[in-house]
Each structure stands twice: as C-alpha cells, then as structure tokens.
C-alpha cells in the first residue's frame, strides 16, 4: 500500500511508546520504574471530576460550539486578564482536544509549503512532526549546556530568514525544565520585533515553577507583540488532566478563526463534559496546585543531586516543569553487555535491561547526548531507580 510522504516523514510518539512498554512490563510482573511518563502521578482533583459527573447527569452529552463553550472561553480570557493584565475577548480563544491539538490546528492554519518554523533545541518531540505535517520546514536552533539549553539572541538572529513564519518558545521547557527569565525573553523579543514573524508561546508548564521563579512569556514582557503571538496552554499538567484532552490557544482572531475551521472538519468540538470539568478547574481554588508544586520540588532536588553524584553524568537544576535532562556524553563509547553505548538510545535500552528503569532518550528531543527523566514518581522510586541506575552504570567498561 502506498502511504503519503507526510506520514512517512514523522515518527510515533516515543514518550507514549515507552510509557506503554513500561505498563506492559509491569503486567508481566517486572518491577519497572517508569521515568518516561509526561504526566503527574496524582489523580485529577475531586472537584473537577464532580463537575464532569454533574455535567453528564444534566445531559451535557451533545455537540457544543466547535471552538468550545462560551463560559469556558470567557474564563480563559479572564484568566489572562487576572494573572497577566492581558485583554483578550472570547473570540480570541480556541479550545481544542489538548495542547497538542491546539498546536496542530494553528500550524495547519498558518503554514504553506516551505515556510520555516524556528524550533529551539532541545524541544518537545511533537513540534518537529506537527510542522512537517503542516507542510512546513523545522529550523532547529541548538542550545548548549553552557547556556542551560536556552535560545540566545545571537542564535535566534542567525536563524531568522525570509521564509521564517514562526518561532516556538516553550518555557518552562520539555524536556529540560529550563525557564526563561524576564530579561532573557525581553532580549529575544527585540530580535523578533524587527523580523515580523509570529510567535508560538507554549506555556503548558507555566504554573509548575520552583525557588520563587517568576513566570513570564514574551507578551508579558513586550505587550506590543500580543498582536502576533499565540499562547498555547492546557489543563493537562496543571490540573492532572492529561486524559481529559482539553487544551487551548489564545491569540489573533484571524488565525484562531482559521484554526477553528480546521478543527470543525477534524474533531468538531472538544468533549462536552470535559469542558465543564475544565471550567471548574479554572474557577476553583488553586490549593491543589500549590500542594502539587510543593511536592515536586524536593523530588527535583533529590534526582538532580543523585545524578550529579554519578560518574559520567551531569545534570542541570531546572526552574520548572517536572523533567531533568542529564548529559550522558561521558558515557558514550563505553562497553555494555550487548556492545558499545554509542547513543542515548543505546544507554536507555541498557538501563531498561540492566536496571528495569524506563527513560526517554534525547534523540527525538534534538539532543542525542541526553536522556529525559520525569520525576513525577514517588520519592522512594526516585531513590530506588537512581540506586539501580548507579549500579548499572558501574558495569560499563
């Protein structure tokens, strides 16, 4: 059977594939520790689940407006006014089936064949493939450990060109946990000001920050860029709602109207009663969120300390999200039971077999000398997993 070129150009989600592998291993009785999952280990708060149940009981099981119910879009617009002083109307909000769907709709609406999108590396695995599916050309700009993986103004300026259509900024970042400070975003904003490209601000982890870090995005530091910035966000990470599949985009009406038309011909509206749950999430107290971050910070501290104590491993301390992205450069070239460790994938497979630990190799994040570990597992599993990893690494020759 002949398949389309676009389908052959992309890869399945490695994160979801590894998470499925971990689940299958556990079903076989293997005591695997899963550091691959990009989701919290807590359940969705009860008040949010009750809102969905109540919506079902009152018959909220039909189609809604394609772009999302009006109260939810109004609540999202109000969130940005209350938290950042940014004025948006409900017409500037598009609710979709998760943040990934929001990005897909946006790029489908804005890209023509050959348009370039600047993607700072390391990057979330789906950016590249979503751009490719939309006919665009991913322009990867690599950061380095010396810059804490941040895009620099010099790197951005060098990457901008006549075909540049958009820049993606993800802060806090998946996979590194790095978050941009206000002055860093301001410096980047001065570069894109002169060019005229659109900015896609992926703020999915905006609430998960540590050490009194103050979150900003490019619009809050340079408000005139609001007219050509799309903010993408999601209920998934902040409210432990990954399976509910509710995300949203906030931005210019012409672009979001076009993205809404695309959504109307693909999924139609997001799930009706999940929208009711999202509305409760936004309206309710943020006690659960504060407790969540308080619980994640010591886990972050523990896993960073453990990795930096291992020979051949270097690990930055992230400002946000719930991932670490240690460098395993010094381990490449060593010998394992099945041969040379030539890549992050080789080391991930080695750790799976030798330590029964699942983590995501850095190749699909645009960084083949790193591995991503999620620290949303219990503290006991962090230490148990690190003990296993340390023991396994000592077997490399």
């Amino acid at each position: 059977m002949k398949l389309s070129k676009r389908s052959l150009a992309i890869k399945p989600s490695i994160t979801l594939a590894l998470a499925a592998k971990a689940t299958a291993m556990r079903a076989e009785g293997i005591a695997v520790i899963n550091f691959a999952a990009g989701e919290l280990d807590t359940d969705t708060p009860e008040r949010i689940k009750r809102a969905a149940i109540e919506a079902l009981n009152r018959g909220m099981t039909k189609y809604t407006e394609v772009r999302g119910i009006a109260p939810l879009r109004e609540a999202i617009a109000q969130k940005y006014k209350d938290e950042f002083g940014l004025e948006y109307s409900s017409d500037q909000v598009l609710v979709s089936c998760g943040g990934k769907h929001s990005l897909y709709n946006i790029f489908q609406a804005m890209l023509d064949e050959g348009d370039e999108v600047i993607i700072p590396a390391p990057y979330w695995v789906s950016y590249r493939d979503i751009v490719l599916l939309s006919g665009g050309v991913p322009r990867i700009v690599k950061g380095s450990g010396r810059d804490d993986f941040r895009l620099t103004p010099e790197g951005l300026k060098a990457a901008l060109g006549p075909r540049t259509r958009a820049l993606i900024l993800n802060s806090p970042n998946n996979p590194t946990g790095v978050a941009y400070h206000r002055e860093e975003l301001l410096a980047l904003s001065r570069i894109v000001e002169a060019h005229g490209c659109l900015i896609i601000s992926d703020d999915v982890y905006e609430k998960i920050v540590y050490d009194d870090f103050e979150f900003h995005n490019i619009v809050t530091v340079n408000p005139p860029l609001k007219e050509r910035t799309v903010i993408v966000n999601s209920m998934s990470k902040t409210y432990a709602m990954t399976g509910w599949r509710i995300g949203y985009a906030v931005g210019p009406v012409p672009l979001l109207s076009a993205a809404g038309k695309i959504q109307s011909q693909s999924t139609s509206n997001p799930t009706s009663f999940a929208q009711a749950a999202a509305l409760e999430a936004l309206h309710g107290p943020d006690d659960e969120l504060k407790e969540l971050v308080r619980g994640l910070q010591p886990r972050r501290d523990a896993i960073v300390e453990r990795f930096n104590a291992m020979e051949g491993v270097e690990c930055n301390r992230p400002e946000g999200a719930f991932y670490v992205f240690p460098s395993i450069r010094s381990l490449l070239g060593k010998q394992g039971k099945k041969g040379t460790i030539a890549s992050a994938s080789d080391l991930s497979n080695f750790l799976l077999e030798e330590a029964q630990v699942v983590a995501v190799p850095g190749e699909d994040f645009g960084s083949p000398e790193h591995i991503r570990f999620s620290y949303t597992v219990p503290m006991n599993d962090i230490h148990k997993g690190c003990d296993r990893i340390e023991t396994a690494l000592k077997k490399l020759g």
Side-chain angles (χ1 to χ4, degrees):
M1 178 183 292
K2 184 180 181 298
L3 299 175
S4 69
K5 291 179 181 178
R6 70 176 65 90
S7 71
L8 297 174
I10 65 170
K11 304 174 183 178
S13 169
I14 188 170
T15 308
L16 295 179
L18 284 168
K21 188 170 187 177
T23 300
M25 290 174 69
R26 282 177 175 153
E28 294 172 7
I30 300 171
V32 64
I33 296 176
N34 182 14
F35 289 108
E39 62 184 353
L40 299 165
D41 63 339
T42 56
D43 195 8
T44 305
E46 286 298 321
R47 65 180 178 87
I48 298 174
K49 293 193 288 186
R50 281 197 304 271
I53 293 168
E54 290 168 5
L56 283 168
N57 287 338
R58 66 174 180 266
M60 192 176 177
T61 59
K62 308 298 183 183
Y63 290 125
T64 73
E65 185 180 347
V66 166
R67 297 180 59 169
I69 59 175
L72 179 54
R73 288 187 287 115
E74 289 163 3
I76 291 167
Q78 188 67 42
K79 160 192 158 63
Y80 283 93
K81 182 177 181 179
D82 293 345
E83 295 181 10
F84 303 111
L86 298 174
E87 295 278 354
Y88 290 100
S89 70
S90 60
D91 288 339
Q92 292 176 279
V93 180
L94 172 64
V95 183
S96 302
C97 305
K100 184 183 291 188
H101 189 213
S102 298
L103 287 164
Y104 182 85
N105 289 333
I106 289 162
F107 284 122
Q108 286 287 326
M110 65 180 285
L111 294 179
D112 285 320
E113 293 293 328
D115 285 345
E116 294 184 357
V117 177
I118 294 175
I119 305 175
Y123 50 79
W124 179 49
V125 294
S126 293
Y127 291 146
R128 175 186 173 276
D129 287 344
I130 291 173
V131 170
L132 288 172
L133 281 170
S134 305
V137 178
R139 181 77 184 274
I140 308 301
V141 182
K142 292 190 176 181
S144 71
R146 290 188 301 275
D147 298 318
D148 287 339
F149 305 112
R150 288 172 171 83
L151 176 66
T152 64
E154 296 77 17
L156 174 58
K157 188 173 184 178
L160 289 166
R163 294 305 303 269
T164 303
R165 190 76 175 89
L167 161 69
I168 299 176
L169 282 177
N170 174 214
S171 173
N173 174 266
N174 176 6
T176 67
V178 162
Y180 287 89
H181 295 270
R182 186 182 190 283
E183 60 274 14
E184 293 167 333
L185 285 170
L186 188 59
L188 293 173
S189 78
R190 299 303 186 206
I191 303 298
V192 293
E193 257 181 345
H195 184 276
C197 68
L198 294 169
I199 303 110
I200 311 297
S201 184
D202 183 344
D203 297 356
V204 165
Y205 297 95
E206 64 171 4
K207 300 291 188 183
I208 305 176
V209 293
Y210 313 108
D211 304 319
D212 299 320
F213 180 88
E214 186 176 356
F215 171 81
H216 293 280
N217 64 31
I218 206 160
V219 181
T220 63
V221 302
N222 192 339
L225 289 176
K226 176 172 173 278
E227 300 308 314
R228 51 189 175 97
T229 299
V230 180
I231 299 172
V232 174
N233 213 321
S234 169
M235 313 307 295
S236 293
K237 314 299 181 177
T238 304
Y239 299 103
M241 293 176 68
T242 49
W244 297 75
R245 307 315 303 139
I246 297 290
Y248 57 87
V250 179
V253 169
L255 179 55
L256 292 192
S257 294
K261 284 194 297 182
I262 289 165
Q263 181 162 300
S264 75
Q265 298 294 356
S266 55
T267 62
S268 298
N269 60 274
T271 300
S272 54
F273 52 87
Q275 293 184 66
L279 183 60
E280 169 59 31
L282 289 171
H283 277 162
D286 61 359
D287 296 347
E288 305 105 332
L289 175 60
K290 291 176 180 176
E291 185 62 29
L292 164 74
V293 174
R294 279 195 295 268
L296 285 172
Q297 182 160 332
R299 298 190 227 180
R300 177 207 63 171
D301 295 342
I303 199 168
V304 169
E305 182 179 350
R306 290 298 306 268
F307 276 131
N308 281 326
M310 296 181 196
E311 186 175 352
V313 181
E314 296 179 8
C315 187
N316 286 17
R317 184 180 299 274
E319 291 90 353
F322 39 70
Y323 311 104
V324 289
F325 203 52
S327 168
I328 47 87
R329 183 184 300 113
S330 298
L331 300 174
L332 300 180
K334 290 185 175 288
Q335 297 297 310
K337 186 181 294 184
K338 294 188 176 180
T340 303
I341 303 296
S343 66
S345 289
D346 289 342
L347 186 60
S348 289
N349 287 326
F350 172 79
L351 293 176
L352 181 59
E353 294 177 6
E354 289 291 325
Q356 291 77 55
V357 163
V358 182
V360 188
E363 284 90 340
D364 285 357
F365 298 108
S367 192
E369 297 178 341
H370 296 80
I371 296 179
R372 192 193 77 173
F373 292 80
S374 170
Y375 49 87
T376 58
V377 299
M379 182 70 85
N380 184 56
D381 280 355
I382 287 175
H383 285 296
K384 188 186 298 183
C386 287
D387 287 343
R388 293 183 187 179
I389 293 166
E390 192 165 17
T391 298
L393 294 181
K394 289 177 180 177
K395 297 178 183 180
L396 294 175

